[in-house]
């Protein structure tokens, strides 16, 4: 089992920034990619950004390219999503996921695949 905790959500005004963390513990050998998905009311869960567990390889969705960056810091099994120039359309519940994948871009939004955090709400006001 893998436990994921993803603190860092909150409410900001448009143009502001937030940094989400994803901290993994437990059977960390069982996944190779870490990603953030988001889901707003009535919409599907989409992959926003992902990175290889050890920082090799990354993916950022076109919709957030140039504003969001994903990184692995020096703390073991801790990854970050830096979100800058936030827009009201970025408002959603953000989930951290850990999956065994060959390519971070191949992470899938299926709740029964890999491991998932409880989610953290990001609200951007205009």
């Amino acid at each position: 089992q893998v436990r994921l905790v993803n603190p860092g959500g909150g409410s900001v005004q448009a143009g502001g920034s937030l940094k989400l963390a994803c901290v993994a513990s437990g059977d960390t050998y069982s996944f190779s990619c870490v990603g953030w998905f988001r889901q707003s009311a009535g919409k599907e869960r989409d992959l926003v950004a992902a990175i290889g567990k050890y920082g090799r390889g990354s993916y950022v969705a076109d919709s957030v390219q140039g504003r969001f960056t994903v990184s692995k810091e020096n703390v073991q099994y801790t990854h970050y999503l830096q979100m800058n120039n936030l827009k009201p359309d970025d408002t959603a519940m953000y989930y951290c996921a850990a999956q065994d994948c060959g390519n971070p871009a191949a992470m899938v939004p299926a709740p029964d695949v890999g491991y998932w955090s409880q989610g953290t709400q990001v609200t951007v006001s205009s």
Side-chain angles (χ1 to χ4, degrees):
Q1 287 292 323
V2 174
R3 181 170 181 258
L4 298 176
V5 179
N6 69 320
S11 297
V12 295
Q13 291 190 324
S17 297
L18 285 172
K19 189 173 185 178
L20 306 184
C22 183
V23 184
S25 60
D27 297 336
T28 53
Y29 61 84
S30 62
F31 65 90
S32 57
C33 297
V34 174
W36 281 264
F37 293 79
R38 68 184 181 186
Q39 187 171 24
S40 53
K43 294 187 177 180
E44 295 183 346
R45 187 173 296 189
D46 293 324
L47 179 62
V48 175
I51 188 169
K53 182 170 68 175
Y54 298 113
R56 290 189 290 269
S58 64
Y59 164 83
V60 177
D62 289 343
S63 58
V64 300
Q65 189 71 244
R67 300 188 296 122
F68 290 15
T69 56
V70 59
S71 65
K72 180 195 177 304
E73 305 294 326
N74 289 330
V75 179
Q76 197 170 27
Y77 305 123
T78 298
H79 301 77
Y80 293 95
L81 179 67
Q82 177 69 47
M83 305 186 295
N84 297 328
N85 191 21
L86 283 160
K87 304 176 180 180
D89 284 349
D90 295 318
T91 295
M93 183 70 79
Y94 284 70
Y95 299 90
C96 168
Q99 297 174 354
D100 189 20
C101 67
N103 182 335
M107 292 190 72
V108 296
D112 59 346
V113 176
Y115 304 94
W116 291 81
S117 69
Q118 295 281 35
T120 186
Q121 178 67 37
V122 171
T123 302
V124 185
S125 58
S126 57

